[in-house]
Amino acid sequence: MMKMSRRNLLRGCSAAAMTLAVDPSLAVAQTVLPDAFIEQLIARMSLEEKAGQLSIYSDPLRFEGAQINPKTAEQSAKQLHASILKGELTGLFNGVGASSARDLQKLAVEQSPHKIPLIFAGDIIHGMKTIFPIPVGEAASFNPTLAERTARAAAMEASAKGLHWTFAPMVDVARDERWGRVSEGAGEDPYLGAQMARARVKGFQGRNLRDEDTVLACPKHFAAYGGVEGGRDYNTVDIPDTTLRATFLPPFEAAFRQGALTTMSSFNDIAGVPATGNAYLLTDILRGEWGFKGLVVSDYTSEEEMILHGYAADGPDAVVKALSAGCDISMQSGLYYKHIPDLVRQGRLPLRVVDEAVRRVLRVKQAIGLFDNPYRSMDPKREASDIRRPETVALAREAARKSIVLLKNEQDLLPLKKSASVALIGPAIHDKADLPGPWAVFPDVERHVTFAEGFRSALGAQGRLFTARGADYEARLPGGVEQALAAAQSAEVIVLVVGESSEMSGEAQSRTDIGVPAPQLELAEALAKLAKPMVVLLRHGRALALTGAVRDAPAIMATWFLGSETGNAVADLVFGDFAPEARLPVSFPQVSGQEPYFYDHRNTGRPQLTDDKAYKSRYREVTNEALYPFGHGLSYSKVRYSATAVSEAGPSPALRAKGSVRVSAQVENLGARPCVEVAQLYIRQLTASVTQPVRQLKGFQRLSLAPGETRRVEFTIDAEMLAFPHPDHRTYAEPSAILAVIGPSAASGEPVKLAF
Ligand code: NOJ
């Protein structure tokens, strides 16, 4: 076998040539010097090879997961094999297996003309085999360190399966809960979104991108996909530049500053220009303003879809527009491969544009060490040892537990005693296949722990468990309600698990009504009539609009889709071995018709300030307040916040004079159990040349409080925190009075007024 090495290829080129930074924290800041090795390679490549380096396809040979994309432009095994031998393919995605990856890589590095290694990618969104909570659920932990650890563990499993690159994290801020892809991101808030984005990139990419247990991160979808009109997937986005920058871009910028070297352009257009052909986004902002040195891949035929958008006339036109805008790799359509050579020969596409895209792709391959070590992350031994390691499974349980939000707990119904007799009811209670949730492509479903299994092992010999499904997710079950009533009648307490099936959220799963489906509501109503204590455990990939017996239940937990350890994690909290500590990353509205609903809205000239409904910006039927606000979440204890105060002594502290000011509050655990409290800092700028939201999250701190303990929590407010995007594309602060408030949610806390 000929050894593929950088030195072989260099053939005398200066070894001092620099490459992309491999230290993630430096990746953006570092100047990339011309690399003689890559330049020489580009000089020798044919147009067909260049077009191939800019084309990636879903892997039909080694796909062993669920169908997650339309069957479009599938390449046959024969075609792919031929392309690899000719050096006309950059890589494949969603095929897995360390040995099979080695076999394909061997063809590329031993038989293709320039021996450029393939890159293998995959949609590893919240776990590979061991599945962690869906990202919106994990965001509820308000715990970036936890997100970093789960991303690290996912990278460990993905790289053991022969992958180099994950199409994650999804960092789209979601403003409308009708949109099914809320499940994949970190919720509605740009600040929390940025914290989670940074943590996930750090976890995926590890300490050094060349390490074999790391994967390249791909923050997606760039950009503003979460702003689709009406929450309808793939729809248009019509927002001003100030909103783009204030709401949708912060998590991306945070991810790139953390060293993410790839991104995926989104399906949507923004004000008429599709993201994939959007030079303002992909070149001016991404590369110009932020200094991004990595590559952009299109989202599954999005360059071809520019024809249907009405932005490109035909395939060749789409290629010219996407590539010139800064989209380097075409995913799945095959259009780049098909048209680039002729477009260059005809003079319709400058060669330098193609070369620049190829350069970016090769540099990323180089940054992860593929030229020196093309068989990295293809070790069959690791494939056997690094999947479902005990510590990874334990982490899945911890992450799931820390993602569950206790919304309501009247008369301390929860936690339940392990000596209780419990009726566990709901369509999902035995359903392993539904546990991973949306966007888990390769889960080890057989080893997932169901609700019933988790409850049984928690109760052990002490308590009794009766189970019944009661209904299917979206249909009645013959005799279902009767069986559920019988189970409930035998028990002291009912635990009802209701909500969405995992197929009801995720890509292309927009809903007009974000409620619990009717057959499950019927079941809840029937059970409520028994007048027994009832705990509701919600399952969902988005916020839900709760009604009837579900809304009125005395205890409610938001459990999202929790992954491999669902049953154990839920039982950990229900039976009080651990206490809940998560907070909502999405607002629960009163009714579906309020969507898009998010806490950081503007005030308007006629805000609803009192119960007086006349001529106010509100709906006839419901108040504007959320049913459960962003940031809300209870523990098994009670806490009290003091009013927010300025830490420094002296009258009317002016931020401007000092550049910063510290604000604080006292947080007291009034209960008999220890608790974890998430103290949140919100600010409001009362006057500005572009009006600012009524509240904006600017910081949070997790406090572990012993029973009776009081802690002072403090935050620093400075001009950078108050800066906001202006219509001239610049971001800076303006003099204003501001309100600062430290509290347990976006709807509580006593503010202090400051001048800036
Ligand atoms: C389409 C999805 O929008 C994207 O998130 C995913 O990474 C690609 N398909 C590849 O599966």
Side-chain angles (χ1 to χ4, degrees), residues 348-566:
R348 288 174 64 190
L349 181 64
L351 182 60
R352 66 174 163 73
V353 173
V354 177
D355 284 351
E356 181 58 18
V358 173
R359 186 173 291 121
R360 289 174 185 145
V361 172
L362 296 180
R363 278 183 177 154
V364 168
K365 288 187 174 182
Q366 191 183 40
I368 63 170
L370 274 179
F371 285 103
D372 294 324
N373 181 13
Y375 298 107
R376 60 153 284 174
S377 309
M378 296 172 193
D379 175 0
K381 277 199 222 99
R382 270 197 65 217
E383 187 169 20
S385 64
D386 283 356
I387 302 294
R388 279 190 62 93
R389 284 159 70 143
E391 62 270 30
T392 309
V393 177
L395 178 61
R397 182 167 180 166
E398 178 191 344
R401 196 163 61 219
K402 290 182 171 171
S403 301
I404 299 171
V405 188
L406 178 61
L407 298 177
K408 183 181 186 186
N409 194 18
E410 281 173 7
Q411 281 149 26
D412 294 332
L413 174 55
L414 284 169
L416 303 180
K417 292 201 180 64
K418 287 191 183 167
S419 56
S421 64
V422 179
L424 178 66
I425 297 168
I429 61 169
H430 302 297
D431 188 356
K432 283 189 191 280
D434 201 59
L435 297 179
W439 278 110
V441 188
F442 310 99
D444 189 350
V445 169
E446 280 318 305
R447 292 158 93 180
H448 280 34
V449 181
T450 65
F451 283 84
E453 288 165 346
F455 273 46
R456 222 166 260 134
S457 78
L459 285 168
Q462 304 175 53
R464 297 184 67 195
L465 186 69
F466 304 91
T467 61
R469 290 191 70 219
D472 207 342
Y473 297 101
E474 295 180 274
R476 291 179 176 153
L477 280 180
V481 173
E482 291 69 28
Q483 283 158 15
L485 288 172
Q489 258 144 0
S490 319
E492 293 159 77
V493 54
I494 302 166
V495 177
L496 176 63
V497 184
V498 285
E500 301 183 313
S501 67
S502 58
E503 274 151 27
M504 292 172 68
S505 53
E507 188 174 343
Q509 299 306 321
S510 299
R511 300 182 65 196
T512 55
D513 175 355
I514 57 169
V516 172
Q520 296 184 59
L521 286 178
E522 259 175 46
L523 174 65
E525 298 297 340
L527 291 168
K529 290 212 178 81
L530 297 178
K532 294 205 174 199
M534 184 158 85
V535 176
V536 165
L537 303 180
L538 298 171
R539 286 177 64 67
H540 44 116
R542 49 161 67 84
L544 295 176
L546 306 180
T547 51
V550 171
R551 181 181 176 124
D552 296 340
I556 307 177
M557 277 180 167
T559 78
W560 321 100
F561 294 99
L562 294 172
S564 298
E565 287 290 299
T566 301

